[in-house]
Amino acid sequence: MTPLLVGPSAAAAPPTTTCSTDPTARLAAVPSPESFLGFPLGTGQERVVTNDEVRGYLAAVDTASNRVITGTMGTSVLGQPLPYAIVSNERNVRPAVLKGIAEDVRSLRDPRLVTQKLAGEIAEASPAIVWVTANIHGGEKSGTDAALKTLYELAAGLSCEVQKRNDNLVTIIVPTQNPDGRDASRRQNEYGFDMNRDWFARTQQETDGKIELMRKYPPQVFVDAHEMGGRQYFFPPNADPIHHEIAGEAVDWINRIGEANKAGFGYNGACGGAVTTECYFNYSTYDLFFMGYGDTVPAAGFGAAGMTFEKGSSSAVADRVQQQFHTQWATLGWAAANKREVLNGWFKIWKDALAEGRAGTLEPNEVVQPTNTVQFPVPNLSIRSYFLLPDRQLADARQLVERLRRMDVEVYQVKKAVKLPTAKIFGGRSATNLTVPVGSYWIPMNQPQKHWIQAIMGEDPYTPFPYFYDVSSWSNPLLSGVNAVYTGADVKPNAELIDKIQNTGGGKILAAPPKKGSYTYALDSAAAAEFTFTLLGQGVELVRDLDTGEVGMPAGVLTPELNTTAKKLGVTLTPYTTGAVGTPISRPDVGLFQGTGISTTSGSHGEARYVLGKRWGLDLTPVTTADINDNTPAFTNRTALLVPDGSSATGGLTAAGQANLRNWIAQGHTYLGLRNEGTRLARAAGLTSTTEKTKPSGYTVIGSHLRVNVDGGSPVGLGRPAEDFEFNNNDPILNPSSTGTNVLSYPTGSTFWANGYTVQGDTLKGTVAVVDEPTGAGRAVLFAFNPLFRAYNESGLHLVANALLYPTTGGAARTAPSRAADVDPARAAAAATPVAENLGGEWRPFTIEVAAGDLARTGALVDRYTDTARVSVVNGSAYLTIPNPDGLQVDEHPFLGDLVRTLEAERIPLRSVVG
């Protein structure tokens, strides 16, 4: 590559103007919050701002101030605009100048094209880019109001402090990332998604538009303003763990911004001793590990000082907003004062990433909390390349390629087979002299986005310290179940850079005769499932080969639009001169259960509405407990019923309702039951012989991936490999069925494998994850886990599609009972077993591990907060498990964060914390 020889944009140089020493001096033409809203923001504020007021105020400031431009980065699920403001000095926001600044800053991300000298010139001349965002959780509103106050000060202020910020920074302000949730005072968006877990997958449109804007204006500093329980305030330094691929420069900036926030916080200063409210704390609760957060993705994906700020929601609105403003303003002040150092350091991040990728070096694990030590180091492992092999799940492999590309990762398609002298196969296996075939996708680590590649592609995240309030595995190849390998070998395949996924082989290869010909494709992926439902939604007649899983369609129905859809989804259409042969499949008429125990505003109910409803275009009819108990048409007219995860073991069904459910299934219909409520309701209704295995004390599976064996005898497993991977998040453990097909089962022998943070994982050996239980002409398909989890578990989505597309003929069917009241004896025995207590809701219980000798002290402190803790002692460790029946996460729980901080303040060594 040829380095750029041009200099930085001359227009980026700050103008010389006179500033005021009066910190209250402001432009009269710019409307203050009080003049526009009728009340002040921060001190004196009595209510929060509405979405209409947010949009109106941004427009008013844009009109009045020549330091501000506004735009819209997308729309919410309900169609509300997602506005943003860009503020700097009046020269910097001129369109041509702003474009030049963005180009200069983006160029620093590729040291192959920018010399060290030019980078230094850009760092000297260009402002840094800082993002201030808020309200990704709709009910956490104070950050929005503070961001408007920050906007006003930057847009109207005449002081030297304001000028310094505007001359040295381009500040992007996104007041609300979740307007639908804000209107509803709900954490989640309209589909029930926690969008602060959606950052790498970008399933939600609100997330996607924001990250595209970040690619245009990449941040060096990123603030994500939240609220939590209580009356305190958190800003970094973070709690451990911190992901090892987050650059040291970014962590250093984060910690130094923390010092600036301490100086600018005011109120009661640091929490401690008698100071317990309107104070700040650090080094607790909020980690920097999972790659779905609004701090980790800016940090690992953009090299920014990505930070979560959390204000206690029990404080008065005026205090909440004012404290959020103080931290936003202090952060901007630090960034402005250090912008040259930050831009030079930002260039170094990408330069170091290139060198590490070239050498195959992974960053080491480190901890930031003074009392912690690294418990699990990154292994001595060299990774120079990842490869996605094209032999199966090809459409999902292509979707993963596109996900990488849309984070500026360079991906190549192999044009000539290459042999790897040594390689690691996902799932803990090794190979020598492995041939990577033509058509494979190559992701070299020798590129600027090396940190991001490892962060989301790595087979294991290598947590340094066992503290979690989210999952411990998000390896994208494992989520997709694609065939992937990585190697430390220094290979340079004959390969071509991919510019867009449509050019990698999706769509028709050649044209088939339109009248008598056909096209087939492999229905072995979530992307192919989406294409299938698109075809069925347009009335296309499809057949499926029940041996290979391939789907056939008449050639004449393939319109240019459908072919474009196939290309975008990465589905390859193979032409034939003859008609397609196979078993007909039809579009399911799905009932979505929202009866007793089901939350309709979060969790798997919302995930079902999004995946099945929005992405797959299926009509979802609400089905209540009363509908099943009374056999109403809302239930009986459906061909499939999906029961999401929930809190009830019976769904409220009466004996008559259970008989109605069995009879309905026996008529040829399909029941899909997810995780706790979905499997337990089925068991109570006599639909399965599976029982739940008791979890031993200390058993811990924190969103980990495990190998499973696939029984291809059930159409539910069609298209999956004989060995696959399943995502387990402290899910119920199911003993095998004696009356159905155990579609996914955990190996019993040496092939058992788990990643992430898994303790006593051997408990799962020989148990099952998916069961296909026939009743008459129909079946109940039960998932021990949530296959729709966050809509990014592609292998699980494919299994759900297979269950919904279960053929009406073919496959072994158990003889239907003679009367509705008759239940197979094994299933009746299962229904009579005691129901396991649902300690974790749709998430997990909260578990603290300490040394057995510290149990008495720990228990006394826990008793201050709750009397519900279950206590057990195993192998020198004491486990205190606090039920979490509502499935709350730590950052939304009323006392769990305070409890952990109390234990740390009392200097009780925590062996592990799982929330």
Side-chain angles (χ1 to χ4, degrees):
M1 296 185 176
T2 304
L4 293 174
L5 299 179
V6 297
S9 171
T16 56
T17 58
T18 302
C19 59
S20 173
T21 57
D22 179 4
T24 66
R26 298 181 180 90
L27 293 168
V30 179
S32 68
E34 188 166 10
S35 66
F36 182 86
L37 300 168
F39 56 88
L41 295 178
T43 302
Q45 184 176 353
E46 296 184 355
R47 70 165 176 86
V48 293
V49 179
T50 68
N51 279 320
D52 285 341
E53 289 170 335
V54 168
R55 293 188 286 266
Y57 189 62
L58 258 65
V61 172
D62 183 5
T63 299
S65 175
N66 56 9
R67 303 176 189 173
V68 177
I69 61 172
T70 60
T72 301
M73 64 187 189
T75 58
S76 71
V77 173
L78 294 181
Q80 296 196 67
L82 295 165
Y84 65 89
I86 300 178
V87 57
S88 189
N89 66 42
E90 59 186 80
R91 184 183 182 90
N92 288 345
V93 298
R94 293 173 186 170
V97 178
L98 184 61
K99 180 182 178 183
I101 291 170
E103 289 173 348
D104 284 345
V105 173
R106 287 199 304 269
S107 74
L108 296 177
R109 298 183 77 188
D110 196 345
R112 297 168 301 184
L113 301 177
V114 176
T115 64
Q116 185 73 49
K117 180 176 182 295
L118 178 55
E121 292 172 356
I122 292 173
E124 175 69 28
S126 178
I129 299 175
V130 176
W131 280 61
V132 176
T133 69
N135 203 203
I136 196 167
H137 293 145
E140 302 172 7
K141 301 182 180 183
S142 59
T144 297
D145 300 30
L148 297 182
K149 184 176 176 70
T150 296
L151 172 64
Y152 171 66
E153 296 296 338
L154 293 174
L158 294 173
S159 72
C160 295
E161 283 300 307
V162 170
Q163 180 176 299
K164 185 176 181 180
R165 285 164 172 80
N166 283 337
D167 286 349
N168 288 284
L169 304 175
V170 169
T171 303
I172 315 264
I173 294 177
V174 180
T176 175
Q177 303 170 74
N178 184 6
D180 296 347
R182 186 178 183 88
D183 280 344
S185 294
R186 181 184 62 230
R187 178 182 178 93
Q188 299 83 4
N189 76 343
E190 183 62 22
Y191 281 121
F193 276 65
D194 183 337
M195 291 193 295
N196 202 37
R197 306 295 185 271
D198 186 51
W199 280 73
F200 81 75
R202 300 169 63 169
T203 67
Q204 301 305 289
Q205 61 198 61
E206 296 95 334
T207 311
D208 194 61
K210 172 177 59 189
I211 293 181
E212 283 304 293
L213 190 65
M214 290 173 68
R215 292 175 70 195
K216 183 176 181 180
Y217 300 106
Q220 288 76 65
V221 175
F222 191 99
V223 172
D224 195 21
H226 290 252
E227 290 183 7
M228 60 181 179
R231 295 179 60 192
Q232 299 181 355
Y233 197 107
F234 166 83
F235 50 78
N238 294 91
D240 292 316
I242 292 178
H243 195 281
H244 63 95
E245 287 295 334
I246 292 175
E249 289 84 357
V251 175
D252 176 59
W253 302 334
I254 289 168
N255 294 342
R256 289 163 61 193
I257 291 170
E259 293 301 313
N261 282 334
K262 291 177 184 179
F265 185 78
Y267 281 81
N268 293 332
C271 302
V275 179
T276 59
T277 62
E278 311 312 333
C279 54
Y280 67 80
F281 66 90
N282 323 110
Y283 291 122
S284 185
T285 307
Y286 301 98
D287 62 13
L288 199 62
F289 188 63
F290 168 59
M291 286 297 141
Y293 298 148
D295 50 15
T296 53
V297 173
F302 291 91
M307 298 171 292
T308 293
F309 293 172
E310 297 268 357
K311 171 56 194 164
S313 58
S314 297
S315 296
V317 61
D319 294 327
R320 299 203 310 269
V321 174
Q322 192 65 35
Q323 289 172 30
Q324 296 273 29
F325 170 73
H326 284 176
T327 55
Q328 292 176 17
W329 196 248
T331 297
L332 293 173
W334 183 92
N338 295 277
K339 77 95 181 176
R340 181 178 177 183
E341 176 197 342
V342 167
L343 286 172
N344 277 316
W346 203 62
F347 177 73
K348 184 177 182 295
I349 288 173
W350 310 111
K351 190 174 181 180
D352 290 347
L354 276 168
E356 291 172 9
R358 192 178 307 118
T361 304
L362 303 185
E363 290 271 9
N365 266 337
E366 296 178 352
V367 293
V368 295
Q369 288 179 257
T371 57
N372 290 342
T373 58
V374 173
Q375 295 191 22
F376 308 105
V378 174
N380 184 17
L381 185 66
S382 176
I383 303 178
R384 285 188 170 92
S385 296
Y386 283 93
F387 291 92
L388 306 178
L389 307 186
D391 56 327
R392 57 178 175 82
Q393 280 72 53
L394 181 55
D396 280 349
R398 288 168 172 161
Q399 293 303 301
L400 176 50
V401 167
E402 192 67 358
R403 180 180 291 169
L404 290 164
R405 285 189 59 260
R406 296 184 72 228
M407 279 293 286
D408 303 302
V409 174
E410 296 163 4
V411 184
Y412 299 77
Q413 191 161 30
V414 175
K415 297 302 180 184
K416 183 179 180 180
V418 60
K419 183 170 288 188
L420 306 180
T422 59
K424 297 285 187 180
I425 303 171
F426 274 70
R429 291 172 174 157
S430 301
T432 57
N433 295 321
L434 185 146
T435 298
V436 174
V438 172
S440 298
Y441 297 102
W442 174 42
I443 305 105
M445 295 285 269
N446 182 12
Q447 60 175 296
Q449 277 290 55
K450 174 261 179 182
H451 294 310
W452 181 247
I453 295 168
Q454 183 60 27
I456 70 162
M457 292 288 289
E459 187 178 29
D460 197 292
Y462 306 123
T463 177
F465 187 82
Y467 172 93
F468 301 94
Y469 74 86
D470 207 80
V471 300
S472 66
S473 176
W474 53 90
S475 169
N476 278 216
L478 293 175
L479 285 167
S480 297
V482 299
N483 195 2
V485 302
Y486 54 98
T487 182
D490 189 6
V491 294
K492 296 178 175 61
N494 180 350
E496 183 176 272
L497 181 67
I498 296 170
D499 61 346
K500 55 184 176 180
I501 197 64
Q502 290 94 317
N503 294 339
T504 68
K508 63 182 179 182
I509 301 171
L510 296 169
K515 292 186 177 181
K516 296 183 178 180
S518 62
Y519 293 100
T520 67
Y521 60 90
L523 177 42
D524 65 349
S525 61
E530 185 170 338
F531 184 61
T532 300
F533 288 119
T534 298
L535 294 174
L536 291 172
Q538 296 195 17
V540 177
E541 295 182 357
L542 301 178
V543 295
R544 193 174 191 188
D545 186 319
L546 298 186
D547 292 322
T548 67
E550 289 190 341
V551 171
M553 58 187 286
V557 302
L558 184 66
T559 63
E561 293 76 17
L562 285 174
N563 190 57
T564 297
T565 299
K567 283 178 171 287
K568 288 181 178 178
L569 291 170
V571 178
T572 298
L573 305 177
T574 303
Y576 288 90
T577 58
T578 57
V581 178
T583 301
I585 55 176
S586 57
R587 185 172 187 261
D589 184 343
V590 182
L592 180 58
F593 186 65
Q594 58 181 48
T596 302
I598 301 297
S599 168
T600 60
T601 59
S602 64
S604 61
H605 185 280
E607 290 157 352
R609 288 191 292 116
Y610 169 71
V611 174
L612 277 67
K614 179 176 175 61
R615 281 175 50 176
W616 293 353
L618 299 177
D619 298 322
L620 302 179
T621 300
V623 175
T624 66
T625 298
D627 288 326
I628 300 176
N629 285 339
D630 298 337
N631 237 20
T632 71
F635 164 55
T636 58
N637 287 351
R638 311 282 75 80
T639 63
L641 175 68
L642 190 147
V643 177
D645 192 12
S647 60
S648 174
T650 65
L653 298 189
T654 61
Q658 292 172 342
N660 291 339
L661 182 59
R662 292 194 299 272
N663 281 336
W664 174 83
I665 293 173
Q667 294 167 22
H669 301 138
T670 299
Y671 171 102
L672 286 83
L674 310 188
R675 206 168 179 257
N676 291 309
E677 180 156 349
T679 58
R680 291 169 181 170
L681 187 157
R683 184 177 300 111
L687 298 173
T688 179
S689 57
T690 62
T691 55
E692 287 194 33
K693 183 176 181 178
T694 302
K695 297 172 183 174
S697 297
Y699 170 83
T700 307
V701 180
I702 309 174
S704 302
H705 278 98
L706 297 100
R707 178 177 285 113
V708 288
N709 295 327
V710 180
D711 187 336
S714 165
V716 177
L718 264 182
R720 301 309 305 174
E723 291 184 334
D724 209 349
F725 300 100
E726 177 265 309
F727 182 81
N728 188 310
N729 190 31
N730 195 50
D731 303 320
I733 305 174
L734 300 186
N735 292 309
S737 169
S738 62
T739 57
T741 302
N742 297 302
V743 182
L744 297 188
S745 58
Y746 297 101
T748 57
S750 61
T751 60
F752 183 87
W753 177 86
N755 77 343
Y757 187 70
T758 303
V759 180
Q760 297 192 50
D762 284 358
T763 305
L764 291 167
K765 287 184 174 181
T767 65
V768 296
V770 178
V771 177
D772 178 1
E773 293 273 19
T775 293
R779 78 286 312 156
V781 181
L782 309 181
F783 294 82
F785 62 104
N786 177 9
L788 303 176
F789 185 72
R790 296 177 178 166
Y792 63 43
N793 183 12
E794 284 84 1
S795 61
L797 302 188
H798 176 218
L799 291 167
V800 170
N802 277 346
L804 290 172
L805 295 169
Y806 207 110
T808 55
T809 60
R814 195 172 180 84
T815 303
S818 57
R819 303 192 316 275
D822 291 342
V823 176
D824 184 287
R827 293 176 176 177
T833 59
V835 177
E837 186 177 12
N838 188 356
L839 293 176
E842 290 194 53
W843 187 240
R844 300 184 299 245
F846 187 78
T847 304
I848 300 168
E849 178 190 2
V850 298
D854 289 326
L855 175 58
R857 280 201 305 149
T858 306
L861 293 172
V862 170
D863 286 345
R864 295 182 188 176
Y865 294 88
T866 179
D867 60 0
T868 63
R870 276 70 162 163
V871 178
S872 60
V873 179
V874 180
N875 297 328
S877 284
Y879 296 89
L880 296 91
T881 300
I882 299 169
N884 183 22
D886 294 329
L888 300 178
Q889 301 229 327
V890 174
D891 55 337
E892 60 178 328
H893 196 279
F895 67 78
L896 292 179
D898 290 339
L899 170 57
V900 170
R901 292 190 288 278
T902 298
L903 295 171
E904 292 171 338
E906 293 296 324
R907 300 188 181 280
I908 295 178
L910 302 177
R911 292 185 170 180
S912 69
V913 178
V914 177

